Amino acid sequence: MGLVGTQSKQRVPRAVRERQMLDAAVATFAKRGYRAASMDEIAVAAGVSKPLVYLYLHSKDELYSACVRREAEALQAAVRAAVEPGAPADRQLWSGLLAFFEHTAAHPDGWAILYSQARTVGEPFAEEVAAMRAEIAEFVRALIGAAAADAHCDPVLADREVAGLAHALVGAAESLAGWGAAHSGRENAATLMNFAWSGLANLMRGGRWEPSAR
Amino acid sequence: MGLVGTQSKQRVPRAVRERQMLDAAVATFAKRGYRAASMDEIAVAAGVSKPLVYLYLHSKDELYSACVRREAEALQAAVRAAVEPGAPADRQLWSGLLAFFEHTAAHPDGWAILYSQARTVGEPFAEEVAAMRAEIAEFVRALIGAAAADAHCDPVLADREVAGLAHALVGAAESLAGWGAAHSGRENAATLMNFAWSGLANLMRGGRWEPSAR
Amino acid sequence: MGLVGTQSKQRVPRAVRERQMLDAAVATFAKRGYRAASMDEIAVAAGVSKPLVYLYLHSKDELYSACVRREAEALQAAVRAAVEPGAPADRQLWSGLLAFFEHTAAHPDGWAILYSQARTVGEPFAEEVAAMRAEIAEFVRALIGAAAADAHCDPVLADREVAGLAHALVGAAESLAGWGAAHSGRENAATLMNFAWSGLANLMRGGRWEPSAR
Amino acid sequence: MGLVGTQSKQRVPRAVRERQMLDAAVATFAKRGYRAASMDEIAVAAGVSKPLVYLYLHSKDELYSACVRREAEALQAAVRAAVEPGAPADRQLWSGLLAFFEHTAAHPDGWAILYSQARTVGEPFAEEVAAMRAEIAEFVRALIGAAAADAHCDPVLADREVAGLAHALVGAAESLAGWGAAHSGRENAATLMNFAWSGLANLMRGGRWEPSAR
DNA sequence: TATGAATGAGTTTTCATTCAT
DNA sequence: TATGAATGAAAACTCATTCAT
């Protein structure tokens, strides 16, 4: 006794324990989903007793919210850190996408919580996730807007159209992140840029695909 | 007694009852999510007793699977019916997208089950949904491949690249279907075509966006 | 099989089951108190499973409220049935007290719920009990008022004074009911009448005990 | 450091800390009831950590018992101090009642513990309270007995009858203390004396109310 | 003297599912 | 075909209590 590692009831500072719990919760929620994950399982995964989880995180809802907040902030931080503010719009978009795919590939459980699980309607944290998604979409929207301004694009794009494009791009990225977990972030980012960028460029030049256009 | 409308415990043919139950289940699952929806609530919504639901649909899982199957088939049928086999690829894509957006807008509960709810991992029907999604992606992939062949596109697109594009397109459509519920299917479809088609066209011509391209 | 009494899972009509549950709940709450009584124990005492208790009575709170309501109504009915409306006030009071003591002696558990347990502050049914007590006090107050009017009592008794007397009488009766559970209702009623009635009579004649009166 | 008021973990003598804890416990038990009050809440209210409460008071039960004991002794001391041993019986009763009502009005939380909460059967301190109540009743019984002896009351009152009267009086006082919290102790005491004393006097003179007495 | 960290045991409540008719 | 009656199993959450410092 007295040796490091001999602890039976480890005494660990609160901050550390909270991180352990969040780690365990993210993994468990990712694996099972919100409703199917039990507090019991999370506590076991965290290596503590259930009451301690409640003492620190208060409820299943708050625990999930804390997970979502942490993972969303990490993702946003990664993307934001990657983007060089002064660079041309396509460069910015590329950097952002690259960071996005690399982060989600590196943190699949966090991504599962943000994407697959948290969409679930009816749960009390739905707005937390919706807000994060809206923020990301707005970020992309601003990028597209800036690019359009750069290009002096003539038949100005309607706001609603830009917003729609942003949502489409976000959805495409999310889908690729899920599908392409096995592929490198660079490949995914390139796919999306190829897919989207010349479409955007064309749009900005005033070109439009017309349904009647045979 | 015996008069039409006087019976309280109606004897209704099995097929009709089953449809009532599926309707109620789809609505309830869409509103609450799989776990949160209770068989009690579904039975009440269907206007029958719980044992009858079990008699016909056997279990919550099977019930949900039946819902997913029905809604997935309806969506696929709608898309397939809209596409003219002989038409040029862009025309086919346009028709498919239009049908997709119109169907999801017309059946938001069905769409919620396919998209939001059913993604939830860990649930036993996850594969049902994944399969449907894969089928749709494959359909799109085939379209793109056909278009590429049409265009005699020279630096042949890698299979993996085409699949990635297909997934991106599907994700973009899904995202738009959720975001743009308020907008007309035609608008959404146009947005996506503008967004995606010239990118594809450009790709087929061998143009590529390059990260190094400053 | 087929013999009466061979049931393993008895099928009993809802009304009967509800009464069984209320009986068990009254006994258990009386023995343990509201918080200390567990739904498990009540279910076992009622000879059913816990879910059935919840199916019929919805929650511990509602269950307790139902108990209080039932016992309060029974007590009030017993007292009210015993009082002859036209009789002189002392006669009415006597009959009421007698019925009160006999009923509480015959239903000690019900009385425990109304008196000992239900006074507990902080519980959500407190007002239910307070209301019943107020109703009884009001009934007595009316009796005293009527007696005073009968007696043409001269220095009219202040309303507040009458109300105070009524509360004192109720408290005395409650105390006796608890203490004198072993004694006959008739004895208890006589004790109270002797204790209280000539005091009232004296008051009505204008006599008052004065603190200064050595 | 070392300056008065600078310490955060105050070193306070045991006696003082114990009083703080009892004060907090009395207030909390009064507000929530025995079961609903948590040791956590009490510790917070006392401004100390939970282990310290256990160090000094050992368990929830013992803590509650200590509260009951302290409040009961304070009430008894107040009543006893007010009664002049040599005075005539009615005078003694008057002084005791007055002190009782004034003390309970001044210490409503203490009274709540003794009266409302502690009656709860099934809890391990029930006897503590019952003992106190018995002691008070005995005190009153002695007073009545003395008065009867004073009055050379002829048809000697049976012991059981005197005890019953004492209990009735105590219950009346308790009821008034709860109902009449808003009224002055003097008013309440006067109400009771008027209510009870002439009844007692009459009894002692051999007068009895008879059920048959129409 | 004083406390942050930790838990075993128990609570109320819900739900998918079945039996007897 | 249809249902009222019934339950096993498990979930979220709380609490009195103790250990290590």
Side-chain angles (χ1 to χ4, degrees):
Chain A
M1 64 186 59
L3 291 179
V4 173
T6 316
Q7 352 76 327
S8 56
K9 279 187 189 178
Q10 299 181 63
R11 318 267 304 172
V12 172
R14 175 169 182 151
V16 175
R17 272 280 191 259
E18 272 187 14
R19 213 158 55 86
Q20 290 175 353
M21 288 176 192
L22 284 182
D23 289 346
V26 166
T28 309
F29 283 134
K31 187 160 38 149
R32 300 243 187 275
Y34 177 70
R35 299 293 282 223
S38 86
M39 293 299 269
D40 255 310
E41 187 180 4
I42 292 171
V44 167
V48 297
S49 69
K50 224 188 334 171
L52 201 59
V53 179
Y54 277 91
L55 192 62
Y56 287 173
L57 277 317
H58 311 112
S59 79
K60 197 182 185 184
D61 265 30
E62 277 191 49
L63 173 57
Y64 197 87
S65 279
C67 291
V68 167
R69 227 167 11 248
R70 191 180 81 166
E71 298 304 320
E73 268 159 26
L75 175 55
Q76 284 177 347
V79 171
R80 213 165 267 132
V83 173
E84 310 147 67
D90 67 334
R91 188 81 208 164
Q92 286 193 38
L93 187 55
W94 164 257
S95 315
L97 286 174
L98 194 53
F100 172 82
F101 285 115
E102 279 172 350
H103 186 93
T104 52
H107 303 89
D109 286 350
W111 176 239
I113 285 185
L114 294 179
Y115 181 54
S116 322
Q117 306 296 344
R119 245 192 223 335
T120 319
V121 294
E123 306 299 356
F125 44 75
E127 49 189 69
E128 201 103 28
V129 178
M132 178 211 63
R133 206 162 188 274
E135 201 171 330
I136 292 185
E138 165 57 24
F139 179 73
V140 174
R141 206 200 50 67
L143 271 191
I144 298 179
D150 269 16
H152 310 288
C153 95
D154 200 20
V156 176
L157 295 177
D159 275 3
R160 230 199 33 68
E161 191 156 33
V162 176
L165 291 170
H167 270 271
L169 186 53
V170 170
E174 289 175 342
S175 180
L176 269 183
W179 172 75
H183 310 290
S184 83
R186 182 162 288 267
E187 278 176 336
N188 284 329
T191 297
L192 248 194
M193 282 304 279
N194 278 316
F195 176 63
W197 191 250
S198 42
L200 288 176
N202 187 44
L203 260 184
M204 288 172 207
R205 279 191 307 272
R208 264 166 215 278
W209 184 93
E210 291 293 336
S212 45
R214 264 256 32 199
Chain B
M1 65 182 59
L3 291 180
V4 172
T6 317
Q7 340 77 322
S8 54
K9 291 183 188 179
Q10 307 177 56
R11 295 310 192 92
V12 171
R14 174 161 186 151
V16 176
R17 273 278 193 257
E18 273 195 14
R19 210 159 59 85
Q20 289 174 356
M21 289 177 192
L22 284 181
D23 289 345
V26 166
T28 308
F29 283 134
K31 187 157 42 141
R32 300 240 188 276
Y34 176 69
R35 300 291 283 221
S38 83
M39 294 299 271
D40 251 308
E41 189 178 1
I42 292 171
V44 168
V48 299
S49 71
K50 240 186 320 175
L52 200 58
V53 179
Y54 277 89
L55 189 61
Y56 285 175
L57 279 313
H58 315 306
S59 79
K60 197 183 184 183
D61 266 26
E62 279 191 49
L63 173 55
Y64 196 88
S65 281
C67 291
V68 167
R69 221 161 25 243
R70 189 179 82 166
E71 298 303 319
E73 269 159 24
L75 175 55
Q76 286 176 346
V79 171
R80 215 166 266 132
V83 174
E84 310 146 68
D90 69 333
R91 190 80 208 165
Q92 285 194 37
L93 186 55
W94 164 257
S95 313
L97 286 175
L98 194 54
F100 171 82
F101 286 115
E102 277 172 350
H103 185 91
T104 52
H107 303 89
D109 284 351
W111 176 238
I113 285 185
L114 294 178
Y115 182 53
S116 323
Q117 305 297 345
R119 245 190 213 344
T120 318
V121 294
E123 306 299 357
F125 43 75
E127 46 191 71
E128 201 100 31
V129 178
M132 175 211 66
R133 208 167 185 268
E135 199 170 334
I136 291 185
E138 166 56 23
F139 179 72
V140 174
R141 207 199 51 65
L143 270 191
I144 297 179
D150 269 16
H152 310 287
C153 97
D154 200 20
V156 175
L157 293 177
D159 274 4
R160 229 199 33 68
E161 192 157 33
V162 174
L165 291 170
H167 270 272
L169 187 54
V170 170
E174 289 175 341
S175 179
L176 270 184
W179 172 75
H183 310 291
S184 82
R186 181 163 288 266
E187 275 176 339
N188 284 329
T191 296
L192 249 193
M193 282 304 280
N194 277 315
F195 176 65
W197 191 250
S198 40
L200 288 176
N202 187 42
L203 261 183
M204 290 172 205
R205 278 190 309 271
R208 265 168 215 278
W209 183 93
E210 291 294 334
S212 46
R214 288 245 46 185
Chain C
M1 64 183 60
L3 290 179
V4 174
T6 316
Q7 356 74 328
S8 57
K9 278 187 192 180
Q10 299 180 62
R11 317 267 305 173
V12 172
R14 174 168 184 150
V16 176
R17 271 283 190 255
E18 271 188 15
R19 212 158 55 86
Q20 291 176 353
M21 289 177 192
L22 284 181
D23 289 345
V26 166
T28 308
F29 283 134
K31 186 159 40 146
R32 299 242 186 275
Y34 176 71
R35 300 291 283 222
S38 85
M39 294 298 271
D40 254 310
E41 187 178 3
I42 292 172
V44 168
V48 297
S49 68
K50 229 185 332 169
L52 200 57
V53 180
Y54 277 90
L55 191 60
Y56 287 174
L57 278 316
H58 310 114
S59 78
K60 197 180 184 184
D61 264 31
E62 276 190 52
L63 173 56
Y64 196 87
S65 279
C67 291
V68 166
R69 229 169 9 251
R70 190 180 82 167
E71 298 303 320
E73 267 159 27
L75 175 53
Q76 285 176 345
V79 171
R80 211 164 269 133
V83 172
E84 310 145 67
D90 66 333
R91 189 82 209 163
Q92 286 194 36
L93 186 56
W94 164 256
S95 315
L97 286 174
L98 195 54
F100 172 82
F101 285 115
E102 279 172 348
H103 186 93
T104 53
H107 304 90
D109 285 350
W111 176 237
I113 284 186
L114 294 178
Y115 181 54
S116 320
Q117 306 298 344
R119 245 192 221 338
T120 319
V121 293
E123 306 300 356
F125 45 74
E127 50 190 67
E128 201 104 28
V129 178
M132 176 213 64
R133 206 168 187 270
E135 201 170 332
I136 292 186
E138 167 56 23
F139 180 72
V140 174
R141 207 200 50 66
L143 271 190
I144 297 179
D150 270 14
H152 309 289
C153 97
D154 200 20
V156 176
L157 293 178
D159 274 2
R160 229 197 34 67
E161 194 156 31
V162 176
L165 291 169
H167 270 270
L169 187 53
V170 170
E174 288 174 341
S175 178
L176 269 183
W179 172 75
H183 310 289
S184 82
R186 183 163 287 267
E187 275 175 338
N188 283 328
T191 297
L192 248 194
M193 282 304 280
N194 278 315
F195 175 64
W197 190 251
S198 41
L200 289 175
N202 187 42
L203 260 184
M204 290 172 204
R205 278 191 308 271
R208 262 166 217 278
W209 184 91
E210 291 293 335
S212 46
R214 287 243 42 186
Chain D
M1 65 182 59
L3 292 178
V4 173
T6 318
Q7 337 77 325
S8 53
K9 291 182 186 179
Q10 308 177 55
R11 295 311 192 91
V12 172
R14 174 160 186 153
V16 176
R17 273 277 192 260
E18 273 195 16
R19 210 158 60 84
Q20 289 174 356
M21 290 176 190
L22 284 181
D23 289 346
V26 166
T28 308
F29 283 134
K31 187 159 40 144
R32 301 241 187 274
Y34 176 70
R35 301 291 285 220
S38 83
M39 294 299 270
D40 252 309
E41 189 178 4
I42 292 171
V44 167
V48 298
S49 70
K50 239 188 316 177
L52 200 58
V53 179
Y54 277 89
L55 189 62
Y56 284 175
L57 277 315
H58 315 306
S59 80
K60 196 183 186 183
D61 266 26
E62 279 191 49
L63 173 56
Y64 196 87
S65 282
C67 291
V68 167
R69 220 158 28 240
R70 189 179 82 166
E71 298 303 318
E73 270 159 23
L75 175 54
Q76 285 176 345
V79 171
R80 214 166 267 131
V83 172
E84 310 147 66
D90 67 334
R91 190 78 208 170
Q92 285 194 37
L93 187 55
W94 164 256
S95 314
L97 287 174
L98 194 53
F100 172 82
F101 285 115
E102 279 172 347
H103 186 91
T104 52
H107 303 89
D109 284 351
W111 177 237
I113 285 185
L114 295 178
Y115 181 54
S116 322
Q117 306 296 346
R119 247 192 217 339
T120 319
V121 293
E123 306 299 356
F125 44 74
E127 47 190 71
E128 201 100 31
V129 177
M132 178 210 66
R133 207 164 186 271
E135 200 170 333
I136 292 185
E138 166 57 22
F139 179 72
V140 174
R141 208 202 49 67
L143 271 189
I144 299 178
D150 269 16
H152 309 287
C153 95
D154 200 19
V156 176
L157 294 177
D159 273 3
R160 230 204 26 72
E161 191 155 34
V162 175
L165 291 169
H167 270 272
L169 188 52
V170 170
E174 289 174 341
S175 179
L176 270 184
W179 172 75
H183 310 290
S184 81
R186 182 163 288 266
E187 276 176 337
N188 283 331
T191 297
L192 248 193
M193 282 304 280
N194 277 315
F195 177 62
W197 191 250
S198 41
L200 288 176
N202 188 42
L203 262 183
M204 290 171 204
R205 279 192 307 271
R208 264 168 214 280
W209 185 92
E210 291 292 336
S212 45
R214 293 243 41 186

CSV table of all heavy atoms in Angstrom, one decimal, chain B residues 48-77:
chain,number,residue,atom,x,y,z
B,48,VAL,N,-57.1,1.5,-31.4
B,48,VAL,CA,-57.3,0.1,-31.1
B,48,VAL,C,-56.6,-0.2,-29.8
B,48,VAL,O,-56.0,0.6,-29.2
B,48,VAL,CB,-56.7,-0.8,-32.2
B,48,VAL,CG1,-57.4,-0.6,-33.5
B,48,VAL,CG2,-55.2,-0.6,-32.3
B,49,SER,N,-56.8,-1.5,-29.3
B,49,SER,CA,-56.2,-1.9,-28.1
B,49,SER,C,-54.8,-2.4,-28.4
B,49,SER,O,-54.5,-2.8,-29.5
B,49,SER,CB,-57.0,-2.9,-27.4
B,49,SER,OG,-56.9,-4.1,-28.1
B,50,LYS,N,-53.9,-2.3,-27.3
B,50,LYS,CA,-52.6,-2.7,-27.5
B,50,LYS,C,-52.4,-4.2,-28.0
B,50,LYS,O,-51.6,-4.4,-28.9
B,50,LYS,CB,-51.8,-2.5,-26.2
B,50,LYS,CG,-50.7,-1.5,-26.3
B,50,LYS,CD,-49.8,-1.4,-25.0
B,50,LYS,CE,-50.6,-1.5,-23.8
B,50,LYS,NZ,-49.8,-1.5,-22.6
B,51,PRO,N,-53.1,-5.1,-27.4
B,51,PRO,CA,-52.9,-6.5,-27.8
B,51,PRO,C,-53.1,-6.7,-29.3
B,51,PRO,O,-52.5,-7.5,-30.0
B,51,PRO,CB,-54.0,-7.3,-27.0
B,51,PRO,CG,-54.1,-6.5,-25.8
B,51,PRO,CD,-54.0,-5.0,-26.2
B,52,LEU,N,-54.0,-5.8,-29.9
B,52,LEU,CA,-54.2,-6.0,-31.3
B,52,LEU,C,-53.0,-5.5,-32.1
B,52,LEU,O,-52.6,-6.1,-33.1
B,52,LEU,CB,-55.5,-5.1,-31.7
B,52,LEU,CG,-56.1,-5.5,-33.1
B,52,LEU,CD1,-56.5,-7.0,-33.0
B,52,LEU,CD2,-57.2,-4.7,-33.4
B,53,VAL,N,-52.4,-4.5,-31.6
B,53,VAL,CA,-51.2,-4.1,-32.3
B,53,VAL,C,-50.1,-5.2,-32.3
B,53,VAL,O,-49.5,-5.5,-33.3
B,53,VAL,CB,-50.6,-2.8,-31.6
B,53,VAL,CG1,-49.3,-2.4,-32.3
B,53,VAL,CG2,-51.6,-1.7,-31.6
B,54,TYR,N,-50.0,-5.9,-31.1
B,54,TYR,CA,-49.1,-7.0,-31.1
B,54,TYR,C,-49.5,-8.1,-31.9
B,54,TYR,O,-48.7,-8.8,-32.5
B,54,TYR,CB,-48.9,-7.4,-29.6
B,54,TYR,CG,-47.9,-6.5,-28.9
B,54,TYR,CD1,-48.3,-5.4,-28.2
B,54,TYR,CD2,-46.6,-6.8,-28.9
B,54,TYR,CE1,-47.4,-4.5,-27.6
B,54,TYR,CE2,-45.6,-6.0,-28.3
B,54,TYR,CZ,-46.1,-4.9,-27.6
B,54,TYR,OH,-45.2,-4.1,-27.0
B,55,LEU,N,-50.8,-8.4,-32.0
B,55,LEU,CA,-51.3,-9.5,-32.8
B,55,LEU,C,-50.9,-9.3,-34.3
B,55,LEU,O,-50.5,-10.2,-34.9
B,55,LEU,CB,-52.8,-9.5,-32.7
B,55,LEU,CG,-53.4,-10.8,-33.3
B,55,LEU,CD1,-52.9,-12.0,-32.6
B,55,LEU,CD2,-55.0,-10.7,-33.2
B,56,TYR,N,-50.9,-8.0,-34.7
B,56,TYR,CA,-50.7,-7.8,-36.1
B,56,TYR,C,-49.2,-7.5,-36.4
B,56,TYR,O,-48.6,-7.9,-37.4
B,56,TYR,CB,-51.5,-6.6,-36.6
B,56,TYR,CG,-52.9,-7.0,-36.9
B,56,TYR,CD1,-53.9,-6.0,-37.2
B,56,TYR,CD2,-53.4,-8.3,-36.7
B,56,TYR,CE1,-55.2,-6.3,-37.4
B,56,TYR,CE2,-54.7,-8.6,-36.9
B,56,TYR,CZ,-55.6,-7.6,-37.3
B,56,TYR,OH,-56.9,-8.0,-37.5
B,57,LEU,N,-48.6,-6.7,-35.5
B,57,LEU,CA,-47.2,-6.3,-35.8
B,57,LEU,C,-46.1,-6.9,-34.9
B,57,LEU,O,-44.9,-6.6,-35.1
B,57,LEU,CB,-47.1,-4.8,-35.8
B,57,LEU,CG,-47.6,-3.9,-37.0
B,57,LEU,CD1,-47.0,-4.5,-38.3
B,57,LEU,CD2,-49.1,-3.8,-37.1
B,58,HIS,N,-46.5,-7.7,-34.0
B,58,HIS,CA,-45.6,-8.6,-33.3
B,58,HIS,C,-44.7,-7.9,-32.2
B,58,HIS,O,-44.4,-8.5,-31.2
B,58,HIS,CB,-44.7,-9.4,-34.2
B,58,HIS,CG,-45.6,-10.0,-35.3
B,58,HIS,ND1,-46.7,-10.8,-35.0
B,58,HIS,CD2,-45.5,-9.9,-36.6
B,58,HIS,CE1,-47.2,-11.1,-36.2
B,58,HIS,NE2,-46.5,-10.6,-37.2
B,59,SER,N,-44.1,-6.8,-32.5
B,59,SER,CA,-43.2,-6.1,-31.5
B,59,SER,C,-42.9,-4.7,-31.9
B,59,SER,O,-43.2,-4.3,-33.1
B,59,SER,CB,-41.9,-6.9,-31.4
B,59,SER,OG,-41.0,-6.6,-32.5
B,60,LYS,N,-42.4,-4.0,-31.0
B,60,LYS,CA,-42.1,-2.6,-31.3
B,60,LYS,C,-41.1,-2.5,-32.5
B,60,LYS,O,-41.2,-1.7,-33.4
B,60,LYS,CB,-41.5,-1.9,-30.1
B,60,LYS,CG,-41.5,-0.3,-30.2
B,60,LYS,CD,-40.9,0.3,-29.0
B,60,LYS,CE,-41.1,1.8,-29.0
B,60,LYS,NZ,-40.4,2.5,-27.9
B,61,ASP,N,-40.1,-3.3,-32.4
B,61,ASP,CA,-39.1,-3.3,-33.5
B,61,ASP,C,-39.7,-3.6,-34.8
B,61,ASP,O,-39.4,-2.9,-35.8
B,61,ASP,CB,-38.0,-4.5,-33.2
B,61,ASP,CG,-36.9,-3.9,-32.4
B,61,ASP,OD1,-37.0,-2.9,-31.7
B,61,ASP,OD2,-35.8,-4.5,-32.5
B,62,GLU,N,-40.4,-4.7,-34.9
B,62,GLU,CA,-41.0,-5.0,-36.2
B,62,GLU,C,-42.0,-3.9,-36.6
B,62,GLU,O,-42.0,-3.6,-37.8
B,62,GLU,CB,-41.8,-6.4,-36.1
B,62,GLU,CG,-40.9,-7.5,-36.1
B,62,GLU,CD,-41.7,-8.8,-36.3
B,62,GLU,OE1,-42.6,-8.9,-37.2
B,62,GLU,OE2,-41.4,-9.8,-35.5
B,63,LEU,N,-42.7,-3.3,-35.7
B,63,LEU,CA,-43.5,-2.2,-36.1
B,63,LEU,C,-42.7,-1.1,-36.7
B,63,LEU,O,-43.1,-0.6,-37.8
B,63,LEU,CB,-44.3,-1.7,-34.8
B,63,LEU,CG,-45.1,-0.5,-35.0
B,63,LEU,CD1,-46.1,-0.6,-36.1
B,63,LEU,CD2,-45.8,-0.1,-33.7
B,64,TYR,N,-41.6,-0.7,-36.1
B,64,TYR,CA,-40.8,0.3,-36.6
B,64,TYR,C,-40.3,0.0,-38.0
B,64,TYR,O,-40.3,0.7,-38.9
B,64,TYR,CB,-39.7,0.7,-35.6
B,64,TYR,CG,-39.1,2.0,-36.0
B,64,TYR,CD1,-39.6,3.2,-35.4
B,64,TYR,CD2,-38.0,2.1,-36.8
B,64,TYR,CE1,-39.1,4.4,-35.7
B,64,TYR,CE2,-37.4,3.4,-37.1
B,64,TYR,CZ,-38.0,4.5,-36.6
B,64,TYR,OH,-37.4,5.7,-36.9
B,65,SER,N,-39.8,-1.3,-38.1
B,65,SER,CA,-39.3,-1.7,-39.3
B,65,SER,C,-40.3,-1.6,-40.4
B,65,SER,O,-40.0,-1.2,-41.6
B,65,SER,CB,-38.8,-3.2,-39.2
B,65,SER,OG,-37.5,-3.2,-38.6
B,66,ALA,N,-41.5,-2.0,-40.1
B,66,ALA,CA,-42.6,-1.9,-41.1
B,66,ALA,C,-42.8,-0.5,-41.5
B,66,ALA,O,-43.0,-0.2,-42.7
B,66,ALA,CB,-43.9,-2.5,-40.5
B,67,CYS,N,-42.8,0.4,-40.6
B,67,CYS,CA,-42.9,1.8,-40.9
B,67,CYS,C,-41.8,2.3,-41.9
B,67,CYS,O,-42.1,2.9,-42.9
B,67,CYS,CB,-42.8,2.7,-39.6
B,67,CYS,SG,-44.3,2.5,-38.6
B,68,VAL,N,-40.6,1.9,-41.5
B,68,VAL,CA,-39.5,2.3,-42.3
B,68,VAL,C,-39.6,1.8,-43.7
B,68,VAL,O,-39.4,2.5,-44.7
B,68,VAL,CB,-38.1,1.9,-41.7
B,68,VAL,CG1,-37.0,2.0,-42.7
B,68,VAL,CG2,-37.8,2.7,-40.4
B,69,ARG,N,-39.9,0.5,-43.8
B,69,ARG,CA,-40.0,-0.2,-45.1
B,69,ARG,C,-41.1,0.6,-45.9
B,69,ARG,O,-40.9,0.9,-47.1
B,69,ARG,CB,-40.4,-1.6,-44.9
B,69,ARG,CG,-39.7,-2.5,-45.8
B,69,ARG,CD,-39.6,-4.0,-45.4
B,69,ARG,NE,-40.7,-4.4,-44.5
B,69,ARG,CZ,-40.5,-4.8,-43.3
B,69,ARG,NH1,-39.3,-4.9,-42.7
B,69,ARG,NH2,-41.5,-5.2,-42.5
B,70,ARG,N,-42.2,0.8,-45.3
B,70,ARG,CA,-43.3,1.4,-46.1
B,70,ARG,C,-42.9,2.8,-46.6
B,70,ARG,O,-43.1,3.1,-47.8
B,70,ARG,CB,-44.6,1.5,-45.2
B,70,ARG,CG,-45.8,1.9,-46.0
B,70,ARG,CD,-47.0,2.0,-45.2
B,70,ARG,NE,-47.1,3.3,-44.4
B,70,ARG,CZ,-48.2,3.8,-43.8
B,70,ARG,NH1,-49.3,3.0,-43.8
B,70,ARG,NH2,-48.2,4.9,-43.2
B,71,GLU,N,-42.4,3.6,-45.7
B,71,GLU,CA,-42.0,4.9,-46.1
B,71,GLU,C,-40.9,5.0,-47.1
B,71,GLU,O,-40.9,5.8,-48.1
B,71,GLU,CB,-41.7,5.8,-44.9
B,71,GLU,CG,-42.8,5.9,-43.9
B,71,GLU,CD,-44.1,6.5,-44.5
B,71,GLU,OE1,-43.9,7.5,-45.3
B,71,GLU,OE2,-45.2,6.0,-44.3
B,72,ALA,N,-39.9,4.1,-46.9
B,72,ALA,CA,-38.8,4.0,-47.8
B,72,ALA,C,-39.3,3.6,-49.2
B,72,ALA,O,-38.9,4.2,-50.2
B,72,ALA,CB,-37.7,3.0,-47.3
B,73,GLU,N,-40.1,2.6,-49.3
B,73,GLU,CA,-40.6,2.1,-50.5
B,73,GLU,C,-41.4,3.2,-51.3
B,73,GLU,O,-41.3,3.4,-52.5
B,73,GLU,CB,-41.5,0.9,-50.4
B,73,GLU,CG,-40.6,-0.4,-50.5
B,73,GLU,CD,-41.3,-1.6,-49.9
B,73,GLU,OE1,-42.5,-1.6,-49.8
B,73,GLU,OE2,-40.5,-2.5,-49.5
B,74,ALA,N,-42.2,3.9,-50.5
B,74,ALA,CA,-43.0,5.0,-51.1
B,74,ALA,C,-42.1,6.1,-51.7
B,74,ALA,O,-42.3,6.6,-52.8
B,74,ALA,CB,-43.9,5.6,-50.0
B,75,LEU,N,-41.0,6.4,-50.9
B,75,LEU,CA,-40.1,7.5,-51.4
B,75,LEU,C,-39.4,7.0,-52.7
B,75,LEU,O,-39.3,7.7,-53.7
B,75,LEU,CB,-39.1,7.8,-50.3
B,75,LEU,CG,-38.0,8.8,-50.7
B,75,LEU,CD1,-38.6,10.1,-51.3
B,75,LEU,CD2,-37.1,9.1,-49.5
B,76,GLN,N,-38.9,5.7,-52.6
B,76,GLN,CA,-38.2,5.2,-53.8
B,76,GLN,C,-39.1,5.1,-55.0
B,76,GLN,O,-38.7,5.5,-56.1
B,76,GLN,CB,-37.6,3.9,-53.5
B,76,GLN,CG,-36.4,4.0,-52.6
B,76,GLN,CD,-35.8,2.6,-52.2
B,76,GLN,OE1,-36.5,1.6,-52.3
B,76,GLN,NE2,-34.6,2.6,-51.6
B,77,ALA,N,-40.3,4.7,-54.7
B,77,ALA,CA,-41.2,4.6,-55.9
B,77,ALA,C,-41.5,6.0,-56.5
B,77,ALA,O,-41.5,6.1,-57.7
B,77,ALA,CB,-42.6,4.0,-55.4
